[in-house]
Amino acid sequence: MTSSTSASASLTIPAGHGKAVRLKAGQAVRVVNTHGTQVVDCWAWNAYDLAEYMCMETTRVWNQRLNPIVGDSFVTNQRHPILTVVEDATPGVHDTFMAACDRRRYELLGVKHYHRNCCDNMFEGMFELGVTPPRPNLASFNIFMNIRVQPDGITLKTLPTVTKPGDFITMRAEMDCFVAFSACPQDIVKIQGQGDNTPKPVEIMVLEDFHSDLPGTPTWVPQN
């Protein structure tokens, strides 16, 4: 059973911008897709060692899944659990494959001027907390993003989000950590829902008094 009480902090991430929060171990953060159409990129770091960060590659090995389900933990580049999915009031469609957009991505898409991007938004959110990540990290957890593995088992297809207004996902901190979010500014590739491809704001809530009896996943090991 999972239960939560009042949020100690609620932040709106403006469309195309970034925010970050600091969590203590045991606290949780909820990401609400206010309009049901928005992709949100997510990163996390050990609060005491920014060289240790949430890593999609090690997480896929840990869970033996392409995308997380409730109870799955994200782990760091040092293979320590950092966030665990404890609620998912969405269709469960998220992504760990696609790189976060950056300035170069928009150049390749034909944009001639500066375009807001998730990589810069990650820095924007962390700078607001007075924290400077040591390097860009394009391997984000792409919340609400709809990337489908095709029947051939090797091809990926990029599709719009399938969430509804108010759908949310909640992640519990397994260590003291910083968590950054970007309300993805992508308006060229059609990943935002409802066909208009217009970035929208989302809400994040830090849940101070939160309880979940989900233990998080232990690392996968092959069965003899």
Side-chain angles (χ1 to χ4, degrees):
M1 178 180 293
T2 299
S3 62
S4 57
T5 57
S6 61
S8 62
S10 180
L11 297 172
T12 297
I13 307 178
H17 286 261
K19 293 286 183 182
V21 296
R22 190 187 191 283
L23 300 179
K24 298 177 183 177
Q27 287 183 319
V29 62
R30 178 173 294 159
V31 185
V32 183
N33 203 332
T34 310
H35 297 272
T37 60
Q38 181 63 39
V39 171
V40 180
D41 290 31
C42 174
W43 303 259
W45 299 261
N46 181 334
Y48 308 108
D49 179 7
L50 295 179
E52 183 175 10
Y53 57 88
M54 185 169 71
C55 177
M56 295 303 101
E57 297 90 336
T58 54
T59 294
R60 288 191 293 264
V61 173
W62 187 277
N63 292 319
Q64 291 292 289
R65 262 187 276 276
L66 302 180
N67 292 296
I69 62 173
V70 171
D72 280 356
S73 295
F74 289 91
V75 299
T76 69
N77 56 316
Q78 298 183 25
R79 301 181 195 269
H80 299 139
I82 186 168
L83 295 175
T84 296
V85 179
V86 289
E87 296 177 319
D88 191 357
T90 79
V93 178
H94 310 287
D95 170 63
T96 68
F97 282 111
M98 294 298 180
C101 56
D102 59 2
R103 297 186 192 196
R104 178 61 177 156
R105 174 63 171 150
Y106 285 102
E107 289 175 4
L108 294 169
L109 289 172
V111 176
K112 303 301 182 185
H113 54 82
Y114 176 76
H115 195 294
R116 295 201 64 88
N117 61 84
C118 287
C119 188
D120 287 354
N121 287 350
M122 177 267 288
F123 281 104
E124 177 184 56
M126 292 291 278
F127 288 164
E128 285 187 0
L129 299 183
V131 180
T132 301
R135 64 185 62 83
N137 178 7
L138 298 184
S140 53
F141 170 41
N142 304 312
I143 302 170
F144 313 126
M145 191 173 187
N146 185 8
I147 305 297
R148 299 282 182 89
V149 179
Q150 296 303 287
D152 64 9
I154 58 174
T155 304
L156 301 177
K157 187 172 184 179
T158 299
L159 298 165
T161 57
V162 294
T163 51
K164 301 183 300 298
D167 281 358
F168 66 86
I169 186 172
T170 307
M171 296 173 288
R172 181 185 65 212
E174 303 299 342
M175 63 170 73
D176 291 1
C177 60
F178 294 105
V179 188
F181 302 95
S182 169
C184 181
Q186 180 62 255
D187 54 4
I188 300 172
V189 179
K190 293 183 178 180
I191 61 170
Q192 316 293 3
Q194 306 305 314
D196 63 358
N197 212 35
T198 301
K200 302 285 187 180
V202 296
E203 201 79 12
I204 55 174
M205 295 181 287
V206 175
L207 304 175
E208 181 75 37
D209 184 12
F210 182 87
H211 172 73
S212 169
D213 56 12
L214 290 172
T217 46
T219 188
W220 174 83
V221 294
Q223 299 297 312
N224 294 328

